[in-house]
Amino acid sequence: RDKYFEISLGQSLIKLILDAARLIAEGSGETEDDRMNRIIAAIHKNISEEISVSSLAEEEYISEGHLRALFHKRYGMSPKQYITALRISSAKQLLEDSNMTITEVAEQVGIRDPLYFSRFFRQETGLSPKMYRNKK
């Protein structure tokens, strides 16, 4: 019984905090565009790091579902699809304009495993990173 009360109290506290944050944001005249601009800025700023939808939602005090809905409304895609597109675009740019190794490019776009990066890049572009670099 005490454990249930602790869990219930903990969940109520979290809901209260999230509701307060939402009310503060609404009361400040903040728009969805303001929120989305901060989220996009965070993605671009942290593209070389691991980025999760849950961490983005947490930073903005919204649910993951709400974040996905806002994203889809504005961009017609999920946050994960946006992050993937940004990583591929950044990787292409680095492969075209730098002498970085494939491993360095992978790390620069937030993928620590160069073999995974090569598979990921090929899946998204139809070419391996090396083939993409050599085609220019």
Side-chain angles (χ1 to χ4, degrees), residues 50-109:
E50 188 174 315
I51 302 170
S52 70
V53 175
S54 62
S55 66
L56 292 169
E58 194 174 293
E59 280 183 39
E60 289 297 319
Y61 302 101
I62 60 175
S63 71
E64 290 179 45
H66 187 61
L67 174 62
R68 285 185 184 95
L70 289 173
F71 229 94
H72 199 273
K73 180 179 171 184
R74 185 166 181 182
Y75 297 106
M77 65 178 76
S78 72
K80 186 174 179 169
Q81 289 170 319
Y82 184 89
I83 292 166
T84 295
L86 181 60
R87 285 193 165 131
I88 291 297
S89 174
S90 298
K92 285 178 174 179
Q93 192 75 40
L94 291 169
L95 290 167
E96 291 171 7
D97 299 338
S98 79
N99 292 323
M100 292 176 140
T101 66
I102 304 299
T103 300
E104 291 169 334
V105 170
E107 288 176 2
Q108 198 68 37
V109 299

Side-chain angles (χ1 to χ4, degrees), residues 119-133:
R119 284 193 310 271
F120 170 77
F121 191 88
R122 182 187 295 266
Q123 180 181 346
E124 296 296 322
T125 66
L127 298 170
S128 70
K130 184 176 182 179
M131 289 169 61
Y132 183 85
R133 175 174 270 163

